[in-house]
Amino acid sequence: MRNPPMLVVAVGLAVLGAALPTARAARNVILMVSDGQGYNHVAAARLYSGTTPVYETFPTRLAVATFPLNFSSAPTGGHVQVGGYDPAAYWADFNYPKANYTDSAAAATALSTGVKTYNSSINYDNDPAATGTPLKSIFEIARDNGKATGSISTVQWSHATPAAFGAHNINRGNYAALATEMLNSGKLDVILGAGNPDYNNDGVLVATPQNAQYVGGAAAWAALKAGTTPFHLVQEKADFERLAAGDLGFLTKGKVCGTVQAYETLQQRRGAGDPQGVHPETFLANVPTPAVLARAGLNVLNANPNGFFVMMEAGGAVDWAAHAAQKGRVIEEQTAFNDAVSAVVEWVTANSSWEETLLIVTADHETGHLWGASGAYTELTGAGAEVLGSMVFNSGSHTNALVPLYAIGAGAELFSQYVIGTDLRRGSYIDNTAVFRVMAAASEIPEPATAALLATASLLALRRRLSPRT
Ligand SMILES: [Zn+2]
């Protein structure tokens, strides 16, 4: 039984009016994403480390439904909601979430635009068929309102999730076009991540450069290196660490493109260290941590007096580790993500405040159907390395499971207004499109009123937008 909580509401957002004021406007919005992180990826890292991640203490803790509009890999036309989430079916049938799941592109588009779309879309609406329609996303709205903007990842910085916070394309696979738009649109101030064609996945300089598609192609990469773009190219670990420490004096341009000395990931795709175990001693030595990337990005963005919006996919390779059933790598990547969230919390405490900054921590979808048994909803168990023996990947792909969301700071309380259902174990849940709505409402920036932007909004969210906020 399918029970989609979404109604198809094909109306221009113009009729909904501008965002109503909230008690506190968020000057800064920080969205942190762990790609593929379900509840049990969080649990695995918590059990392994014996440490509760800081986000599990945030005042707002909800579940998020991640399903896309449909499961096509190209626009089909119209806004008929095909995907859905049925809590009763999920818990009654262990195989239920193995089908009809989102990809990272559609999920990131929902987060960045508030619109559900087809899988593979990077900020493209499903209508019309064949061509789709570009959607205005949160980074553009923030930019239009004078804020600095950034997109940060621990995988290639033009991969699906970071691209959805800096570009538009009918298909996520058009990396060179996505990277080119991120560099040339004038909408982004900070781009950080992997994708460096001069290095391999072990952080070793290669004699023959690899495919430069992730950085916009060979010519774009040459221009970045020559300093003929608006971006200061950062590659050295030491330079990322200078930025993280607040030393911006060496920058020759106001915008920063940080491309670490590794090809596809910071660490997950390195060859050294058994991926079934946790081996930080084999980490690439010339690549900064996600926490350093996070602090570097914040320091650059914070130079803007109007505040900033930034997406940090600080757990970009949790997904790939889970696809590959790599127990150790999942814990390494999720632990590094947790450390990045801690670094961001410390940065906000030292440089801003929760009165003016909204921090959201969530995932785009769950990967691996990770549980503590094969074929059963059994919790993970074990302290320290024992948890590795408990981890079972019940799928090699994404699932339609709810994922966790944690929020703190200015406007975090708005999430409670977007609850669309109650899950048997996860409790209250929202739709992933609510993340966009809260980011826009919390910062009191009006949602776009372009004719091109059609919204599939939940009834509750729609009601909320039509009635005064308290
Ligand atoms: Zn994936």
Side-chain angles (χ1 to χ4, degrees):
M1 188 182 72
R2 176 63 42 73
N3 179 27
M6 305 296 293
L7 298 180
V8 178
V9 185
V11 293
L13 277 179
V15 302
L16 302 180
L20 295 162
T22 58
R24 306 171 298 173
R27 175 182 183 272
N28 310 315
V29 176
I30 305 168
L31 173 62
M32 299 190 73
V33 175
S34 178
D35 194 314
Q37 167 200 265
Y39 282 87
N40 288 329
H41 303 69
V42 175
R46 185 198 321 107
L47 290 166
Y48 186 90
S49 67
T51 305
T52 298
V54 66
Y55 48 78
E56 288 195 310
T57 67
F58 288 178
T60 295
R61 298 189 295 277
L62 292 164
V64 184
T66 66
F67 57 86
L69 180 72
N70 63 46
F71 310 103
S72 170
S73 58
T76 57
H79 298 96
V80 175
Q81 181 61 55
V82 177
Y85 175 75
D86 181 344
Y90 180 95
W91 295 106
D93 177 3
F94 192 76
N95 290 320
Y96 169 80
K98 292 183 182 178
N100 300 333
Y101 47 79
T102 191
D103 79 332
S104 291
T109 297
L111 298 174
S112 66
T113 68
V115 176
K116 284 201 185 285
T117 187
Y118 60 93
N119 281 340
S120 298
S121 161
I122 301 290
N123 293 333
Y124 257 70
D125 184 75
N126 185 60
D127 194 59
T131 63
T133 307
L135 295 162
K136 196 161 189 177
S137 86
I138 189 72
F139 71 90
E140 295 166 284
I141 302 165
R143 185 70 178 183
D144 290 347
N145 284 270
K147 294 180 184 294
T149 54
S151 188
I152 300 174
S153 182
T154 57
V155 300
Q156 302 99 317
W157 53 253
S158 56
H159 212 260
T161 308
F165 291 86
H168 311 73
N169 203 284
I170 196 168
N171 191 289
R172 60 181 293 172
N174 295 325
Y175 294 110
L178 289 164
T180 299
E181 184 179 347
M182 292 171 81
L183 291 169
N184 294 345
S185 71
K187 299 287 188 182
L188 286 178
D189 300 291
V190 170
I191 301 170
L192 307 179
N196 194 321
D198 296 338
Y199 291 81
N200 65 20
N201 284 336
D202 291 317
V204 176
L205 193 65
V206 291
T208 304
Q210 314 209 52
N211 189 329
Q213 61 180 336
Y214 302 125
V215 291
W221 183 238
L224 273 169
K225 290 200 284 192
T228 56
T229 81
F231 288 86
H232 184 117
L233 177 66
V234 171
Q235 299 185 75
E236 301 277 341
K237 180 183 182 183
D239 285 343
F240 284 100
E241 291 176 340
R242 286 173 75 180
L243 294 176
D247 174 11
L248 311 184
F250 69 98
L251 294 177
T252 55
K253 298 165 187 283
K255 295 168 178 272
V256 174
C257 177
T259 308
V260 305
Q261 293 172 331
Y263 191 48
E264 293 177 308
T265 63
L266 298 195
Q267 301 293 347
Q268 185 262 336
R269 289 198 164 163
R270 74 188 189 279
D274 176 6
Q276 298 305 325
V278 179
H279 294 290
E281 75 281 3
T282 64
F283 280 178
L284 310 188
N286 59 331
V287 172
T289 63
V292 165
L293 287 191
R295 283 199 301 266
L298 291 171
N299 284 335
V300 175
L301 293 165
N302 199 38
N304 185 319
N306 298 321
F308 58 81
F309 168 85
V310 63
M311 192 291 298
M312 300 180 178
E313 190 191 30
V318 169
D319 175 62
W320 290 345
H323 274 290
Q326 296 173 334
K327 300 174 183 180
R329 291 285 202 268
V330 163
I331 290 174
E332 286 179 2
E333 294 294 317
Q334 186 65 31
T335 300
F337 176 75
N338 294 353
D339 291 346
V341 178
S342 293
V344 168
V345 168
E346 289 165 13
W347 186 94
V348 171
T349 305
N351 299 281
S352 175
S353 76
W354 300 117
E355 294 295 312
E356 65 164 25
T357 297
L358 170 62
L359 171 59
I360 302 164
V361 176
T362 191
D364 47 359
H365 53 76
E366 196 268 355
T367 303
H369 209 13
L370 175 59
W371 284 93
S374 178
Y377 291 122
T378 303
E379 299 294 342
L380 297 177
T381 56
E386 292 170 2
V387 72
L388 292 166
S390 165
M391 295 167 69
V392 178
F393 294 99
N394 288 281
S395 169
S397 192
H398 302 176
T399 69
N400 192 30
L402 297 178
V403 296
L405 177 141
Y406 316 87
I408 183 173
E413 72 284 355
L414 295 173
F415 277 109
S416 66
Q417 301 171 358
Y418 293 89
V419 171
I420 54 171
T422 305
D423 183 78
L424 194 64
R425 288 208 212 173
R426 305 305 184 202
S428 297
Y429 66 91
I430 61 173
D431 186 68
N432 56 1
T433 53
V435 175
F436 167 83
R437 305 236 132 68
V438 168
M439 293 191 295
S443 43
E444 294 185 7
I445 52 180
E447 293 182 13
T450 62
L453 176 54
L454 304 178
T456 50
S458 77
L459 183 58
L460 276 179
L462 188 59
R463 279 186 187 145
R464 186 59 224 169
R465 291 199 51 75
L466 294 170
S467 57
R469 285 209 171 83
T470 53

